[in-house]
Amino acid sequence: INVAGKNVTPLTARGLSAALTPLDKTPTLIILSSCYSGNFIQPLRAPNRVILTATGLNRSSFKCKYTEENTFFADALFNQPDAESLSITDWMGVAQRTILSQEKRKRLNASSPRIFIGPDAKNWANQPMSQWVETE
């Protein structure tokens, strides 16, 4: 992995989990847009976390290679109109349906994006994002 011209060690689920340990009591949204990102859900699970992944277990995502374009997952999430009026669960649901439609149209294997919602995160994850995200 090359970041800003420097080689860095690949990010592992265990390494990310350790880095997030100081946030154990803080509501946390984790978005992972990479191939096989569904493998990160189990090690990152916590009661206060919501985890969105581009794929299910052992699934690849499309347009993962570096290009000027977003992945299907990033496009489907971040290019939704009026996303701030949706809850995270609805936001991800729209993205999942959009991605599945694209994959079917292009005759690609399903990437199966996943969502995990910890029991302590259910309340804020089901509110419209405009109620918990500050915007300027």
Side-chain angles (χ1 to χ4, degrees), residues 73-134:
F73 179 70
D75 262 345
L77 273 180
F78 298 113
N79 289 327
Q80 286 182 41
D82 302 319
E84 69 278 357
S85 67
L86 301 174
S87 66
I88 291 176
T89 52
D90 291 340
W91 185 49
M92 183 62 164
V94 170
Q96 288 170 317
R97 289 187 296 278
T98 300
I99 293 163
L100 183 59
S101 175
Q102 286 178 312
E103 291 168 342
K104 281 184 177 182
R105 226 178 17 258
K106 294 177 188 259
R107 297 183 179 167
L108 298 169
N109 292 329
S111 56
S112 304
R114 295 285 185 245
I115 184 171
F116 164 81
I117 301 173
D120 297 346
K122 287 182 181 181
N123 187 37
W124 61 267
N126 288 310
Q127 295 177 14
M129 291 188 285
S130 62
Q131 292 182 9
W132 58 269
V133 174
E134 287 186 37

Side-chain angles (χ1 to χ4, degrees), residues 56-67:
L57 294 173
N58 303 315
R59 300 291 181 135
S60 61
S61 185
F62 300 97
K63 294 188 181 178
C64 276
K65 294 179 183 174
Y66 177 77
T67 67

Side-chain angles (χ1 to χ4, degrees), residues 23-29 46-50 118-121 124:
L23 298 176
D24 278 346
K25 303 285 185 214
T26 304
T28 307
L29 171 62
N48 65 317
R49 289 190 184 144
V50 174
D120 297 346
W124 61 267

